[in-house]
Amino acid sequence: MIELNNVSKTFTLHNQGAAVIEVLNDVSFSVAPGECVALTGASGAGKSTLMRMIYGNYLARSGEIRIGDVDIVQAEPRTVIALRREVLGYVSQFLRVVPRVPTVDVVAEPLRAVGVSAADAKARAEEVLQQLNIPEHLWTLSPTTFSGGEQQRVNIARGFAHSYPAMLLDEPTASLDAANREVVLQLIEEAKARGTAIIGIFHDEAARARVCDREIDARQFSPEVAA
Amino acid sequence: MTPLLSVRGITKRYGAHIGCADVSFDLYPGEVMGIVGESGSGKSTLLNCMVGHLTPDAGEVVFDTRANGPQDTVTMSEPERRMLSRTDWAFVHQHARDGLRMGVSAGGNVGERLMAVGERHYGDIRDKASDWLQRVEIDAARVDDRPTTFSGGMQQRLQIARNLVTGPRLVFMDEPTGGLDVSVQARLLDLLRGLVRDMGLSAIIVTHDLAVVRLLADRLMVMKLGRVVEAGLTDQVLDDPQHAYSQLLVSSVLQV
Amino acid sequence: MSAYNFAYLDEQTKRMIRRAILKGLAIPGYQVPFASREMPMPYGWGTGGVQVSAAVLTPEDTFKVIDQGSDDTTNAVSIRTFFERTAGVETTTTTSDASVIQTRHRIPEEPLQEGQILVYQVPIPEPLRFLEPRESETRKMHSLEEYGLMHVKLYEDISCHGHIATAYAYPVKVEGRYVMDPSPIPKFDNPKLGDMAAIQLFGAGREQRIYALPPYTEVVSLDFEDHPFEASKAEHACSLCGAEDSYLDEVIIDDAGGRMFVCSDSDYCESRQAAGHKGKDAA
């Protein structure tokens, strides 16, 4: 479902003396439907960069990243957008929303984007918010004023509202209490059971051990090691 | 799939000075594209060439018309182009008072495009105008009030209603949130996002506000000195800019 | 008197105006620009109408001038005198005797005949002016038949007053093409514009425009399906001649609020009285 072949990444900092920073080199691996793969390695190993490249947020210098039959490195913006809408979900560590939009609409939006009716999308959004223990009186408020943990749960609710065939999870259980952590792990397990291919970053080792089928150490892709 | 708008090699010079040079892109149905750049980068010149306010020195602006398929709007006759601009196209000005008739009621402002395409039933026109006022979150009871009695944000929403009432397929926006205070901007952006999604609109948004394009645009084009220096997915261009100027532009902004 | 050319204007100017008139007749409702001359009267006193009259008058013509329907108001008297002195033409107050009638703000009640010419004085020829101040833009709107704006004006009327409150200078569409300002005639007169046997010429001196309706032209007053055009008048009969079908002026007759309604067309009223018709206040 997700396949990377010989992917590399450099950053060129034009405004700082055109410094070239090599970040990742010759990344190749694949993730099958229903499989959950954990990216590991210390901070700075390039885990988040790799996730962002798979999402199309960072541009790979070379190689190919296939999601289904789309190579995201070469794809037109509209193809990537369609892919993100239908196929590829991403739960980042940060919630980024239009201010003043009610939480329930934030969560329903991915469903509205794939053509689900307003009523059905709202019902599904409420269901996920309920699961993640967001108090009902907060649903009509904008999440921008919520606590960090609440924002994180809104973000997860938004990510899991629509059933994507492929998902990227960046620290989904960070800053959650035990009960909510359990809900998130169940959501991941349900997604796997549906056949979703998942790549995740989990610093929570117990969580990683429970939901991930294998681990890939990002340090092996670092140019210094390769060199 | 046929692009809704296909821009090819648009060039406009002001004497020896370049307004914009050799700009090309395709916009597909449902896509929202942002054009960013600092003042003088040529983004407004490009916009004016696309909508026919300026005649480009070279290039084509091909629009997929309902009746006759793709047509070059630069060379089409003026009546045809003006007909497009009040049916399938919409233009949202930065300053609402440039896009509204300030001496005409809100209902009259919204109804004008309907009357322009031949609607002659007062009751129907007024009902549609009231409906559109509500869609842009203006109390329908204000239908007979003049825009001079509206706040800046309401005027801008009224301008949007006036433009969208005939169900256009392509909306051009010139700094749509400029001059509005931040909380009003947010509401307007949310409204625009909803309308774009629900009506399946395509849009081109010219702005210097990177936060606006991040929230509204799928794609981004960065212009400098009349040329496109970088184009791509909005979040990719903002988070991983490749060109020196894009990097400077992004790093110059306070947290977007 | 002999110091002036016939009808005051020199022959070249009259030819220029006649060309504009012919063009106007060829394109009914289209505003033809012309080089309006300084006339020995102020703008707003009928300089456009006077120039058109001067260009169409011949020594054999019989001339009549009305102002708000009346032959004996200042404007009518002075223009009539002007042409008596500069053209030496015969003048009349009888509608049916006149071959050229210059008018301000009315169409005579008595139907006009083939061979007659009705010359209107026009203050602002552009019907779109109050909504679109740019002349360049209104010209484009006429050439491209973009007349939605005209209905915006009527829409505003209904939204403000509950009905189309425009009572004079009510816009019309000519032969399905040009939208035209019929000069500030009451909308009561609008139905007479269409299918008229006489030639109708419109002259705007300050604005330098001439337009025209040839005989038997189709003229339709603009309206909405649910607010159709209505030619309205005061709900009274003439106090002097008893006519119930004529346009009436309201006349205040004392300081106690007393008033009477009389025909605005003085010739129509007088000829009816001469024929024995009497209203409630007739002497």
Side-chain angles (χ1 to χ4, degrees):
Chain A
M1 186 66 209
I2 306 175
E3 186 182 345
L4 287 78
N5 291 315
N6 310 106
V7 175
S8 67
K9 175 65 189 168
T10 57
F11 289 109
T12 307
L13 307 178
H14 291 283
N15 301 306
Q16 294 175 42
V20 178
I21 301 172
E22 291 197 38
V23 186
L24 293 167
N25 194 19
D26 201 24
V27 182
S28 299
F29 67 86
S30 65
V31 182
E35 192 180 19
C36 177
V37 171
L39 291 177
T40 59
S43 289
K47 301 186 296 292
S48 289
T49 300
L50 190 51
M51 294 274 268
R52 283 166 168 250
M53 285 164 70
I54 297 169
Y55 197 58
N57 180 224
Y58 283 0
L59 198 65
R61 193 193 64 190
S62 62
E64 65 171 16
I65 301 171
R66 305 195 75 86
I67 316 288
D69 48 11
V70 174
D71 176 8
I72 215 157
V73 179
Q74 301 294 334
E76 292 282 314
R78 65 194 179 95
T79 312
V80 178
I81 288 160
L83 190 80
R84 288 177 178 181
R85 192 169 53 227
E86 318 269 345
V87 180
L88 181 63
Y90 183 36
V91 178
S92 70
Q93 293 186 68
F94 306 101
L95 181 65
R96 189 172 245 150
V97 292
V98 181
R100 299 176 54 161
V101 178
T103 296
V104 65
D105 292 345
V106 168
V107 175
E109 203 203 345
L111 292 164
R112 297 285 287 126
V114 293
V116 175
S117 75
D120 291 351
K122 183 160 182 277
R124 169 69 184 146
E126 288 172 352
E127 186 189 333
V128 194
L129 285 169
Q130 190 90 61
Q131 264 181 294
L132 284 157
N133 303 309
I134 304 284
E136 193 167 345
H137 65 269
L138 296 180
W139 295 358
T140 53
L141 306 177
S142 164
T144 44
T145 54
F146 291 4
S147 73
E150 283 164 343
Q151 289 202 7
Q152 173 67 353
R153 278 180 279 149
V154 171
N155 210 14
I156 291 166
R158 181 178 157 89
F160 281 91
H162 170 60
S163 308
Y164 297 100
M167 287 191 83
L168 307 171
L169 309 175
D170 194 349
E171 296 278 14
T173 55
S175 68
L176 295 185
D177 59 33
N180 284 312
R181 175 173 168 277
E182 179 59 29
V183 174
V184 173
L185 293 177
Q186 278 173 20
L187 282 171
I188 295 172
E189 283 166 349
E190 283 165 26
K192 282 175 69 181
R194 277 195 307 271
T196 301
I198 300 174
I199 299 177
I201 299 172
F202 301 86
H203 282 144
D204 175 350
E205 282 182 30
R208 196 195 310 160
R210 176 167 155 192
V211 295
C212 296
D213 301 300
R214 62 197 160 93
E215 298 183 3
I216 293 176
D217 189 342
R219 276 174 301 185
Q220 62 180 296
F221 308 128
S222 123
E224 293 91 64
V225 175
Chain B
M1 196 181 200
T2 315
L4 185 65
L5 187 75
S6 186
V7 171
R8 288 284 166 272
I10 287 294
T11 301
K12 176 72 185 175
R13 292 182 205 87
Y14 301 108
H17 176 73
I18 290 174
C20 64
D22 200 23
V23 177
S24 301
F25 65 87
D26 287 330
L27 186 77
Y28 286 85
E31 271 190 315
V32 178
M33 190 174 84
I35 302 177
V36 296
E38 58 198 2
S39 304
S41 60
K43 55 192 197 301
S44 294
T45 298
L46 175 63
L47 183 70
N48 284 321
C49 284
M50 288 191 283
V51 297
H53 296 167
L54 284 174
T55 307
D57 297 318
E60 294 180 346
V61 178
V62 178
F63 180 74
D64 186 17
T65 62
R66 286 182 215 234
N68 302 312
Q71 301 286 316
D72 182 9
T73 61
V74 174
T75 52
M76 81 170 32
S77 72
E78 190 173 12
E80 285 179 286
R81 191 165 55 237
R82 283 175 70 109
M83 182 52 105
L84 262 188
S85 68
R86 51 171 203 269
T87 53
D88 260 355
W89 288 5
F91 192 101
V92 177
H93 292 261
Q94 174 176 7
H95 302 292
R97 50 183 59 235
D98 293 341
L100 292 173
R101 293 191 190 279
M102 299 306 282
V104 169
S105 70
N109 265 291
V110 177
E112 181 177 347
R113 274 169 79 113
L114 295 171
M115 292 181 251
V117 295
E119 291 215 19
R120 291 292 178 264
H121 191 285
Y122 173 82
D124 290 353
I125 293 166
R126 192 179 157 87
D127 288 347
K128 283 185 193 169
S130 302
D131 177 47
W132 263 98
L133 290 184
Q134 285 167 327
R135 288 180 71 169
V136 299
E137 299 164 19
I138 296 173
D139 187 352
R142 311 270 326 244
V143 67
D144 294 332
D145 294 349
R146 293 190 174 185
T148 41
T149 66
F150 287 9
S151 69
M154 282 169 77
Q155 289 182 2
Q156 194 60 292
R157 295 202 298 279
L158 179 62
Q159 190 193 183
I160 288 164
R162 169 178 159 89
N163 270 287
L164 297 188
V165 66
T166 48
R169 290 187 294 157
L170 177 58
V171 184
F172 298 95
M173 299 187 217
D174 186 6
E175 302 277 7
T177 58
L180 299 177
D181 66 49
V182 179
S183 63
V184 178
Q185 277 193 19
R187 192 166 165 203
L188 187 71
L189 288 173
D190 180 42
L191 175 75
L192 283 171
R193 264 160 69 102
L195 290 170
V196 163
R197 182 188 58 215
D198 296 343
M199 298 177 74
L201 293 175
S202 303
I204 292 178
I205 303 168
V206 168
T207 182
H208 62 264
D209 189 337
L210 298 184
V212 168
V213 289
R214 185 181 290 272
L215 289 172
L216 280 182
D218 307 316
R219 291 165 58 191
L220 194 58
M221 217 161 79
V222 182
M223 292 188 72
K224 188 194 182 198
L225 298 175
R227 292 176 193 277
V228 176
V229 295
E230 184 166 353
L233 270 175
T234 301
D235 59 300
Q236 185 254 299
V237 174
L238 292 179
D239 294 339
D240 186 18
Q242 306 293 308
H243 189 274
Y245 177 70
S246 318
Q247 291 186 356
L248 184 65
L249 197 67
V250 171
S251 64
S252 308
V253 178
L254 300 168
Q255 279 297 303
V256 288
Chain C
M1 192 219 125
S2 57
Y4 290 116
N5 189 35
F6 175 76
Y8 184 77
L9 290 174
D10 62 275
E11 290 304 311
Q12 288 302 324
T13 297
K14 287 197 277 187
R15 287 177 63 182
M16 175 271 292
I17 294 172
R18 284 176 199 138
R19 279 196 295 269
I21 291 170
L22 287 171
K23 183 169 180 180
L25 286 166
I27 317 169
Y30 171 72
Q31 298 168 46
V32 185
F34 80 110
S36 178
R37 297 295 192 247
E38 289 293 327
M39 299 302 285
M41 60 189 72
Y43 288 126
W45 288 61
T47 54
V50 166
Q51 290 180 78
V52 170
S53 293
V56 299
L57 276 175
T58 66
E60 293 75 37
D61 272 315
T62 305
F63 191 55
K64 168 183 163 86
V65 189
I66 51 174
D67 174 5
Q68 306 269 19
S70 165
D71 290 276
D72 47 16
T73 54
T74 314
N75 195 257
V77 171
S78 64
I79 291 172
R80 190 165 61 234
T81 312
F82 176 76
F83 282 112
E84 277 170 0
R85 291 174 58 190
T86 59
V89 290
E90 217 178 300
T91 58
T92 180
T93 59
T94 308
T95 300
S96 56
D97 289 350
S99 55
V100 177
I101 304 170
Q102 181 170 333
T103 176
R104 172 173 176 268
H105 302 186
R106 272 313 309 275
I107 297 175
E109 303 292 352
E110 188 179 331
L112 299 183
Q113 305 302 321
E114 287 184 15
Q116 290 185 302
I117 298 175
L118 185 60
V119 177
Y120 296 79
Q121 302 172 195
V122 181
I124 295 165
E126 179 49 72
L128 300 163
R129 176 65 68 242
F130 289 104
L131 290 157
E132 177 51 70
R134 291 168 295 182
E135 173 75 14
S136 58
E137 190 62 20
T138 53
R139 277 201 214 185
K140 198 164 275 176
M141 289 159 82
H142 280 294
S143 64
L144 301 179
E145 281 187 79
E146 292 181 4
Y147 290 131
L149 200 51
M150 208 64 251
H151 272 87
V152 172
K153 184 169 185 290
L154 301 179
Y155 175 97
E156 289 297 287
D157 259 12
I158 304 173
S159 73
C160 288
H161 308 288
H163 61 98
I164 299 178
T166 300
Y168 64 92
Y170 192 103
V172 295
K173 196 164 203 183
V174 178
E175 288 289 333
R177 178 58 181 86
Y178 285 97
V179 165
M180 186 188 94
D181 182 328
S183 86
I185 58 171
K187 68 178 172 182
F188 172 82
D189 282 342
N190 267 30
K192 300 180 200 165
L193 289 161
D195 212 32
M196 188 190 277
I199 294 173
Q200 300 173 77
L201 305 176
F202 299 78
R206 179 179 46 210
E207 301 282 327
Q208 313 206 340
R209 294 287 182 277
I210 284 171
Y211 50 102
L213 298 172
Y216 307 112
T217 300
E218 180 200 63
V219 179
V220 178
S221 302
L222 300 180
D223 61 3
F224 286 103
E225 289 159 16
D226 48 344
H227 286 267
F229 171 80
E230 272 178 80
S232 58
K233 66 183 272 286
E235 294 288 326
H236 294 273
C238 174
S239 298
L240 298 178
C241 75
E244 295 182 340
D245 57 352
S246 67
Y247 190 72
L248 301 173
D249 285 339
E250 182 180 4
V251 182
I252 308 293
I253 48 175
D254 55 32
D255 290 342
R259 56 195 188 145
M260 64 192 285
F261 290 90
V262 296
C263 291
S264 97
D265 186 337
S266 56
D267 172 57
Y268 183 72
C269 197
E270 280 159 20
S271 49
R272 275 178 58 85
Q273 290 179 65
H277 296 284
K278 283 212 185 310
K280 64 182 178 66
D281 294 337

